Amino acid sequence: MASVPRSFLLLSIIPTILILCADFACCNTGRKTGDGLDTDFSGFSVPLEHSFQVDDVSRFRMRGALQLRGGRETSVSLSQSQLSEEDRNTLKEVAAVDGLYKIRVPRVSLTDRQTERQMDGYLTAFVRACSLVESHLSDVITLHTDVSGYLIGVSIVTIPGACRGTEVEDEVDLEAFNTTLTIIAPTNAPQPETALFIERMDIEHEKRGKPQEQKSFFAKYWYLILGGAIFLMASSSAQPSAGGAEEQQS
Amino acid sequence: MKSSVKMAKLTSLFVISLSFFCISEAVFEDQVGKFDWRQQYVGKTLFAHFESNTQSSKKMFVATDKNIFASFNSRTGDLLWRHVDKTGPEGSIDILLLHGQDALMVVGDGRLLRSWDTNIGGLNWEAVLDTGSFQAACFVAIQDTVKLVAVLKKAALSLHYLSNGHQKWVENLPDSDAVQYQAVYSGGEEEVYVLGVVPNSHLTIIAYSLEDGEIIKQRSVEASWLSSVESSCVVVGQGVLMCVDPATLALYTLPIQAEETPEFSQILLQSLDLEVSPGFQPVLVSSQPHPARSPLSEFFLQLGPDHHVLLQLNADGYTIAPLRDFQPAFLVSFATTGKKTVAAVMTPKNETACAINLFSVDSGRRLLDTTVLFPLELNGGKPHALYVHAFLKKDDSVGYRVLVQTQDHALTFIQQPGRVVWTREEALADVVTMEMVDLPLTGTQAELEGEFGKKADGLFPMVLKRLSSQVTLLQAWLAHLWKLFYEARKPRGQVKNEVTIETLSRDEFNLQKMMVMVTASGKLFGIDSKSGSILWKHYLENVQPNAAFKLIVQRTTAHFPHPPQCTLLIKDKDTGLATLHVFNPIFGRKSHIALPALPRPILQSLLLPVIDQDYAKVLLLVDDQYKVTAFPSTKNVLQQLQEMASSIFFYLIRSDQGNLSGFRLRKDLSTERIWEVVLPTEVQKIVAVKGKRPNEHVHSQGRVMGDRSVLYKYLNPNLLAVVTESTDTHPERAFVGVFLVDGVTGRIIHEAVQRKARGPVHFVHSENWVVYEYWNTKSRRNEFSVLELFEGTELYNSTVFSSLDRPHLPQVLQQTYIFPSPITTMEATLTEKGITSRHLLVGLPSGAILSLPKMFLDPRRPEVVTEHSREENLIPYAPEMPIRTEWFINYNQTVARVKGIYTAPSGLESTCLVVAYGLDIYQTRVYPSKQFDVLKDDYDYVLISSVLFALFFATMISKRLAQVKLLNRAWR
């Protein structure tokens, strides 16, 4: 990661590299300092908490730990324990009253570890408890970051997502989470594609332009001009009348 | 020549390929003004002057708070010309002075001095003034002719020639740090006087020589009671400064031109038997009819909100004689014609009218036959200012016309003997929000509707009711026929279709609607969309100038016999406290429904699809403790809310904290927070959030592609488009963020960043797409970007959409284009069923409204044309978006300072009603897919019916012939 400032330098000096590094350089805009980046490689962990109560009052408890790795290629992994017997029962009860299953993660920055302490508050998301139960705890958790690597949102969905009211008999199905975890950074919106368009225009231009260019006006219509000239000459020589002479004078 | 041919071929190829897809929509000359109208406004009048003091003069001039200088025809109230300057303080008009043919104006806090020719509204000259904030200006006369204008700034005084604007001289004012110079006075002498004050210490008078700007005299007068010359002093008589002190309740006089060191002489108001209303700051009003002469020695002193006294300064210069006491009197004004000066006084007459009378200034006597009545509207504003145009009649008596400005910014022009010549509703120059409401059905239609609406009560009564309604229908039809017959006899021009509030009824295709407009001043208007005539108005007093409005249609006209109902939520921006105004949008009358008490600031309001037993939609108001108030809050509603509480979700956005959070309603109408998304404010700030319009219909669920497969649209009704701008404004690092967030689950559906871009961002969110416009800081141009969301070739759940059950993220397609103009506002067309293709209506700063086919903003426009894309009618990608003049829906009717565009569906699927508002209001109809459901005007009915008849007879005859032939054959 120490190469970041250097790449900026390069960018300003050699514009041609810009295309190659554009994506990479963009990822780092908004970063305040280069220090503290070394810790990124080791990653850090934040708690993932969940809450499910029959009375829908949020009481968050530990679900697992998210292992975040910031930097060039952000990655995330989750280590979580199984649900206890008591939890399983509660979850089923919550599902029965169409309660919510909520999760939360603290607001952190993946790149700038200095500011982590300053930020307070959590990012919260929810899913219907019944759909979690019916999907046998298979959920997809997505973390969203902004341009400068702050976590801005979390979302949870289950697959399948519907509540059909099917009973989950087997207790084993509700023991362990089958979680798919992804982290999504903002995509870059496209710019107007002028270069490609001009290129295409040029190709079209060449395609259509070439045969016309080879044949000039005279090359194309030489026989007409020649014929016309001969006709004119013939008509003027055939009738060397006074009218013709006058015309020449004027 | 050769190259040009080639170029033409290339471009024509391109144009042809484009023109295959788009429909030209230009208006024909004979259609101008047929379906559209425009109204031009100027705003709240700050200064108003009449042209000359003859009876025949027609012009008047106003300068307004919208930085507009305009001229009206005083006979009709129509605009003669109008100059729209820059918005904001840069173009603000500090003062307007009128002399002969010249109108002098200081603009932009003393930035520019302009002279206009009042005849044609042309600019004579413009002079850039030295820096410094503007204080005062006046005309200066040399030997009885006005040749100069003096402009007083905070630290300098300058004189300019009236003829060409050249500066005669400019002088720095001495000691301008300590002394606040506030007034400049010239009474036709060789000097010009500048008055300054050191608050609560002394008054400074400086006399400058007109010739070279030399200081002739400079004196300071002890005045510990004086804090501002501007607000408490005027010049009366032969250069006597008259001040009023509210603390000691006394008038002070001081001759400005006195040679020796002068002193203020005090005249206690008590000695004149005058009493100031408690808590009122007395105000002096004087008049200087001609700049070459000294002001009148008569002046008004306002002692209370409705108490004025006409006083006269005696010739000795320090004694005052009261001439006449006016109580009650709302407004007073001086007017001069020739050598005569009169005072106009407005006094309340009764509940519905005020009387205006003229009084002779010299004696205070009332002039005979000068009473004019000003009608007070029931729900109008109080009179605010009086501008009098006095003139000498043929018999040398004084006649006058008067312009009354009311608190609701309306201007009313009244002529003797009390006829209202015209009224201009200038509040409409600042429309904040609007809605279009269907007109009610006619009486007979409503009766039929009512019959079906009522519950069955036995067979016999129902038969009777049916019969009676049939009879009324027959009656109405006969009346209609009679009217047709009667009108047919009259010549065409005389038949007038006057729209009045009584004759309002829905037309066949619901093309005529009621436009309910809310203006910043707190005045509500009901405007007929067909003619543009104002059908009702209602002024809400006590509306704070910074209030935010939200207009909600709670019940439409479809629920006869319940009247339609609109609710206006007025929120004070400082305190957040809100009030509701519930009214009938057709008649403008306030309804007498019990309003909920709203003691706490309101954060969010949402209209639920839940209806109460009276068919009014339920409005939920969320206060700062996240408690919910329902309106209407009947038992029925509360019960319904309890039942569906768990499926009512709402979101709150705090842009100052970058916080988006979602809540769910509980059974006890409290709420619980269920999701939270936080965009750090250090990086980006939320500038706008838009959901979809609730009355939008999408006809097709997907798009058929070239290979005959279907690409399904992602139609999430709960989707929010959140637009952010970076806090870093450096052109290389600035960005615009676009987040698509599900409003129920808080799931971020899409997150895109437009690099090297900044606002202002304008965007439209509709169907499955978002179109936004921003400024590209790198290429320095405006760009349009379109995002479309698709579910893919298979639908997850085709029967119903639920945000809670949509686990897969949609595919997002995006494309960006260059737009060759900045824009001011954007909206999408809306039609009844959503079958018609969509257009974007783009308001340009030039005042044009561009109807841009959405087809041009399609992220699936191919780079390279293929068979499939041709099949789909996709236009090949071109980076630049064209602007064609035939796409301007308002042809030459430019709408100045477009602020918003409102679209509403009509009863015809092809037609969308459009209202653009800003300084002007423009209403028209657009047909995005042409009028596919309407027969053309020149449709040949005769031909088609004659062909039909001919065919009919031909079949009859040939049938008969065939029968005869068959019969003959059988006989054979």
Side-chain angles (χ1 to χ4, degrees), chain B residues 505-531:
Chain B
S505 64
R506 202 179 300 176
D507 60 334
E508 224 171 329
F509 298 118
N510 202 4
L511 288 164
Q512 187 180 5
K513 294 198 180 198
M514 177 66 82
M515 294 160 53
V516 180
M517 297 192 123
V518 181
T519 62
S521 63
K523 195 165 189 183
L524 312 183
F525 291 91
I527 300 175
D528 169 38
S529 76
K530 198 172 183 183
S531 61

Side-chain angles (χ1 to χ4, degrees), chain A residues 20 27 29 48 50 54 67 76 87 97 104 114 121 136 138 155 171 173-174 186 207 223:
Chain A
L20 298 170
C27 293
T29 46
L48 171 70
H50 61 177
V54 180
Q67 200 70 29
V76 62
D87 282 349
V97 296
R104 73 173 187 190
Q114 300 294 314
H136 306 285
S138 29
S155 71
E171 284 286 313
D173 284 341
L174 290 182
K207 257 191 215 163
Y223 45 91

Side-chain angles (χ1 to χ4, degrees), chain B residues 719-740:
Chain B
L719 198 65
L720 301 174
V722 181
V723 171
T724 64
E725 272 184 56
S726 62
T727 42
D728 192 346
T729 53
H730 187 275
E732 283 294 313
R733 292 188 297 270
F735 65 86
V736 166
V738 177
F739 298 82
L740 300 178

Side-chain angles (χ1 to χ4, degrees), chain B residues 589-825:
Chain B
R589 280 194 294 265
K590 190 175 176 179
S591 26
H592 302 284
I593 290 179
L595 295 175
L598 302 168
R600 304 209 60 85
I602 297 296
L603 297 179
Q604 172 80 292
S605 67
L606 60 159
L607 191 68
L608 296 181
V610 180
I611 52 170
D612 71 348
Q613 70 271 34
D614 291 340
Y615 304 100
K617 283 183 184 165
V618 176
L619 181 71
L620 288 189
L621 299 162
V622 185
D623 66 18
D624 63 342
Q625 289 181 333
Y626 309 114
K627 284 264 168 31
V628 172
T629 313
F631 171 72
S633 57
T634 55
K635 218 173 185 182
N636 176 315
V637 170
L638 293 178
Q639 198 184 335
Q640 283 192 61
L641 279 182
Q642 267 186 10
E643 278 164 21
M644 30 186 325
S646 63
S647 62
I648 296 175
F649 297 85
F650 63 93
Y651 64 91
L652 289 177
I653 286 161
R654 305 198 64 138
S655 56
D656 55 331
Q657 295 164 10
N659 187 309
L660 294 90
S661 43
F663 294 82
R664 182 162 87 153
L665 199 66
R666 284 204 186 128
K667 288 203 183 341
D668 57 347
L669 293 191
S670 66
T671 56
E672 67 174 313
R673 189 189 295 254
I674 48 173
W675 59 265
E676 202 167 2
V677 167
V678 187
L679 303 169
T681 45
E682 318 61 292
V683 182
Q684 54 196 336
K685 55 181 190 297
I686 299 170
V687 288
V689 179
K690 268 187 196 170
K692 286 179 189 170
R693 288 179 64 166
N695 57 346
E696 176 184 273
H697 292 275
V698 181
H699 182 255
S700 73
Q701 288 280 309
R703 289 184 58 168
V704 182
M705 293 196 293
D707 56 1
R708 295 280 177 262
S709 63
V710 177
L711 191 59
Y712 287 101
K713 294 174 183 172
Y714 180 77
L715 297 168
N716 183 348
N718 309 315
L719 198 65
L720 301 174
V722 181
V723 171
T724 64
E725 272 184 56
S726 62
T727 42
D728 192 346
T729 53
H730 187 275
E732 283 294 313
R733 292 188 297 270
F735 65 86
V736 166
V738 177
F739 298 82
L740 300 178
V741 181
D742 188 302
V744 169
T745 62
R747 191 178 185 199
I748 298 175
I749 303 290
H750 184 67
E751 187 186 351
V753 169
Q754 196 80 46
R755 302 272 175 193
K756 300 187 181 86
R758 68 172 164 79
V761 181
H762 301 275
F763 67 110
V764 176
H765 180 198
S766 178
E767 274 185 57
N768 65 328
W769 48 265
V770 177
V771 171
Y772 60 93
E773 186 263 6
Y774 59 91
W775 172 256
N776 186 328
T777 51
K778 192 185 171 215
S779 311
R780 295 168 170 277
R781 63 191 178 201
N782 290 91
E783 288 177 4
F784 255 125
S785 195
V786 57
L787 273 162
E788 280 197 20
L789 296 107
F790 292 99
E791 290 221 357
T793 48
E794 272 176 51
L795 268 182
Y796 177 79
N797 179 352
S798 56
T799 50
V800 67
F801 188 95
S802 167
S803 283
L804 296 168
D805 177 20
R806 238 346 103 135
H808 304 292
L809 284 175
Q811 300 170 8
V812 181
L813 301 176
Q814 189 169 13
Q815 225 169 41
T816 307
Y817 316 88
I818 302 162
F819 193 68
S821 164
I823 77 168
T824 50
T825 185

Side-chain angles (χ1 to χ4, degrees), chain B residues 832-969:
Chain B
E832 183 85 4
K833 297 270 177 265
I835 299 167
T836 308
S837 60
R838 310 290 295 269
H839 275 204
L840 285 173
L841 300 169
V842 183
L844 304 180
S846 63
I849 295 159
L850 183 78
S851 179
L852 186 68
K854 168 70 180 54
M855 197 179 247
F856 279 88
L857 289 154
D858 184 346
R860 301 186 58 249
R861 282 175 70 177
E863 301 272 352
V864 183
V865 186
T866 60
E867 200 60 44
H868 284 319
S869 70
R870 208 168 288 150
E871 188 100 328
E872 253 187 279
N873 270 351
L874 291 174
I875 308 163
Y877 179 80
E880 184 160 352
M881 191 70 63
I883 291 185
R884 302 225 197 104
T885 43
E886 69 262 26
W887 286 352
F888 292 150
I889 56 168
N890 55 345
Y891 46 106
N892 63 356
Q893 308 276 307
T894 51
V895 187
R897 295 189 192 149
V898 190
K899 205 166 62 179
I901 296 173
Y902 179 87
T903 53
S906 72
L908 282 175
E909 170 57 30
S910 65
T911 310
C912 169
L913 303 175
V914 177
V915 181
Y917 54 88
L919 193 59
D920 304 339
I921 297 172
Y922 180 75
Q923 191 276 142
T924 190
R925 303 171 188 172
V926 291
Y927 318 99
S929 301
K930 278 189 162 177
Q931 290 179 282
F932 60 81
D933 50 1
V934 177
L935 288 180
K936 275 183 194 147
D937 282 348
D938 53 355
Y939 186 77
D940 204 339
Y941 294 96
V942 179
L943 182 77
I944 201 94
S945 45
S946 56
V947 165
L948 267 176
F949 277 113
L951 278 172
F952 177 73
F953 285 118
T955 28
M956 292 292 280
I957 292 162
S958 56
K959 203 175 169 187
R960 178 79 193 138
L961 287 176
Q963 272 176 350
V964 170
K965 203 177 173 187
L966 272 176
L967 192 69
N968 287 342
R969 195 187 286 163

